[in-house]
């Protein structure tokens, strides 16, 4: 009997618990989200909590636009040696100027240094042509009796200094370098500071014809012996596009005589050096001056015309390569 009463009491307690739990579930279903959370707590008690990682929103990717900086073109003009054939440089300069191509760097060897220095001073092609008519082997030659040469070179120096009004190299309007050769070491040297006249004189001093120019204990002679067309010096001076003018063509076959043989000898000796320089140029202009010799001072106008024609013939290529360089840089 007692056991029955205990069972009865337990049954009532279980029934009351079930009713209470049921009423809470019904009440939770009819209430707001907060009640649902309460229900979850009731039904998941005793279960270990699970942490669910929250993925943050992906950061916005901003596009960075990098503007390509264009390198300005610096045109260099490298004028080669060739004595009287150097008048062809005047024609080349005229053609370039007519097409809006202006060099910011000028280098010259021998005759190229003479024309180059005057151009760097600021003379126009018309003025250069007029000046060229004043030049001949007689009014520039101061003859002497010496085992080192038959021409001193003082007149050439004075002529140049007079034309540039004694303006030193570093103050010429356009960056200019005159190239000569150290007679004792055989090394090439570029003058871009100091007296313009003496630098040009050194660059033009053909061995055994002109006396060497002595400066600071060194003897300097024609730059054509070490840099026939000074392209590398234009690069050193900052040019990133170089137009070279090669007037080193050999005299016409069959000519002979002391001067012609000397001209031929210098050209033969400088072949490798010439090629080393020209391969560094972006464009090479080669006037057809085979009918002229280095001592054809009576054919100035013909040399000027040949230089002009050669440059105009190559003008489409010159402009195309300038455009290609600008697009690439």
């Amino acid at each position: 009997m007692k056991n029955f009463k205990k069972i009865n009491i337990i049954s009532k307690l279980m029934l009351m618990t079930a009713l209470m739990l049921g009423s809470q579930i019904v009440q939770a279903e009819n209430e707001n989200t907060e009640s649902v959370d309460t229900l979850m707590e009731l039904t998941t008690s005793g279960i270990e909590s699970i942490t669910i990682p929250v993925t943050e929103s992906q950061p916005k990717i901003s596009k960075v636009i990098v503007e390509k900086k264009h390198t300005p073109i610096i045109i260099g003009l490298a004028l080669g040696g060739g004595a009287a054939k150097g008048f062809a440089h005047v024609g080349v300069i005229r053609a370039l100027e007519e097409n809006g191509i202006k060099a910011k760097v000028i280098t010259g060897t021998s005759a190229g240094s003479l024309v180059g220095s005057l151009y760097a001073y600021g003379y126009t092609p018309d003025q250069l042509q007029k000046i060229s008519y004043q030049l001949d082997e007689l009014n520039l030659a101061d003859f002497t009796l010496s085992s080192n040469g038959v021409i001193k070179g003082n007149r050439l120096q004075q002529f140049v200094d007079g034309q540039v009004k004694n303006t030193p190299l570093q103050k010429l309007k356009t960056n200019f370098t005159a190239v000569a050769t150290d007679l004792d070491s055989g090394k090439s040297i570029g003058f871009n500071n100091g007296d313009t006249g003496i630098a040009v004189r050194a660059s033009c001093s053909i061995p055994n014809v002109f006396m060497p120019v002595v400066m600071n204990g060194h003897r300097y002679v024609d730059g054509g012996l070490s840099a026939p067309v000074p392209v590398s010096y234009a690069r050193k001076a900052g040019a990133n596009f170089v137009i070279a003018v090669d007037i080193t063509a050999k005299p016409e076959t069959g000519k002979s005589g002391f001067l012609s043989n000397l001209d031929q000898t210098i050209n033969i000796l400088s072949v490798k050096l010439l090629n080393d320089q020209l391969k560094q140029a972006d464009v090479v202009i080669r006037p057809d001056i085979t009918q002229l010799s280095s001592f054809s001072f009576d054919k100035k106008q013909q040399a000027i015309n040949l230089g002009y024609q050669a440059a105009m013939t190559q003008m489409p290529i010159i402009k195309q390569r300038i455009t290609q360089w600008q697009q690439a840089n």
Side-chain angles (χ1 to χ4, degrees), residues 3-304:
N3 291 336
F4 177 78
K5 289 181 178 181
K6 289 181 180 179
I7 293 172
N8 192 26
I9 292 172
I10 292 172
S11 299
K12 288 180 178 180
L13 291 173
M14 291 176 66
L15 180 61
M16 289 177 63
T17 301
L19 290 173
M20 290 176 62
L21 181 59
S23 65
Q24 288 178 355
I25 293 173
V26 172
Q27 184 178 1
E29 290 177 349
N30 294 327
E31 290 180 356
N32 56 18
T33 307
E34 185 176 351
S35 298
V36 174
D37 292 338
T38 303
L39 176 61
M40 289 295 295
E41 290 178 4
L42 289 171
T43 57
T44 60
S45 59
I47 300 176
E48 292 183 0
S49 62
I50 301 174
T51 302
I52 301 176
V54 179
T55 304
E56 297 181 358
S57 60
Q58 294 294 329
K60 295 181 179 179
I61 300 175
S62 58
K63 294 182 179 179
V64 179
I65 301 175
V66 179
E67 293 184 2
K68 183 179 179 180
K69 292 184 178 180
H70 293 285
T71 302
I73 189 169
I74 301 175
I75 296 177
L77 183 60
L79 306 176
K85 293 182 290 187
F87 292 113
H89 292 317
V90 177
V92 171
I93 291 171
R94 179 183 291 282
L96 294 174
E97 290 256 349
E98 287 180 357
N99 286 272
I101 300 173
K102 181 73 174 179
K104 295 182 179 179
V105 172
I106 303 169
T107 58
T109 287
S110 194
S113 73
L114 175 56
V115 176
S117 66
L118 301 179
Y119 185 39
Y121 174 73
Y123 286 115
T124 66
D126 283 339
Q127 292 172 323
L128 289 174
Q129 186 162 329
K130 289 180 181 179
I131 293 172
S132 70
Y133 293 144
Q134 303 173 34
L135 296 169
D136 60 51
E137 65 272 34
L138 294 178
N139 62 20
L140 290 182
D142 41 3
F143 293 99
T144 183
L145 294 175
S146 172
S147 59
N148 292 320
V150 297
I151 298 176
K152 293 179 182 178
N154 289 333
R155 283 190 183 179
L156 174 60
Q157 178 181 336
Q158 292 166 1
F159 176 83
V160 173
D161 280 334
Q163 293 298 325
V164 302
K165 297 177 175 57
N166 294 310
T167 304
L169 291 163
Q170 68 273 19
K171 291 188 177 181
L172 295 174
K173 291 182 180 178
T174 304
N175 187 323
F176 174 69
T177 301
V179 180
T181 303
D182 187 321
L183 183 58
D184 298 305
S185 68
K187 293 181 179 179
S188 176
I189 183 169
F191 295 106
N192 54 20
N193 186 69
D195 186 277
T196 301
I198 198 169
V200 171
R201 174 186 167 190
S203 182
C204 294
S205 294
I206 302 171
N208 296 320
V209 175
F210 282 80
M211 294 180 64
V213 176
V214 181
M215 289 186 286
N216 301 319
H218 291 266
R219 298 182 300 163
Y220 297 104
V221 294
D222 196 328
L225 298 175
S226 57
V229 182
V231 177
S232 60
Y233 282 92
R235 296 283 185 192
K236 290 178 184 178
N240 48 29
F241 186 95
V242 181
I243 300 172
V245 185
D246 176 21
I247 55 171
T248 58
K250 298 179 179 61
E252 188 176 351
T253 303
K255 285 190 175 182
S256 61
F258 172 75
L259 296 179
S260 294
N261 289 338
L262 176 62
D263 190 17
Q264 184 85 338
T265 300
I266 293 175
N267 286 334
I268 293 173
L269 292 174
S270 63
V271 168
K272 184 180 185 304
L273 294 171
L274 174 65
N275 292 334
D276 288 342
Q277 289 292 319
L278 293 182
K279 69 183 181 182
Q280 300 178 56
D282 295 278
V283 177
V284 179
I285 299 174
R286 292 184 175 92
D288 182 13
I289 39 87
T290 52
Q291 66 268 44
L292 303 177
S293 77
S294 294
F295 305 95
S296 300
F297 284 89
D298 58 332
K299 298 180 180 179
K300 300 182 186 70
Q301 191 57 55
Q302 184 179 354
I304 293 172

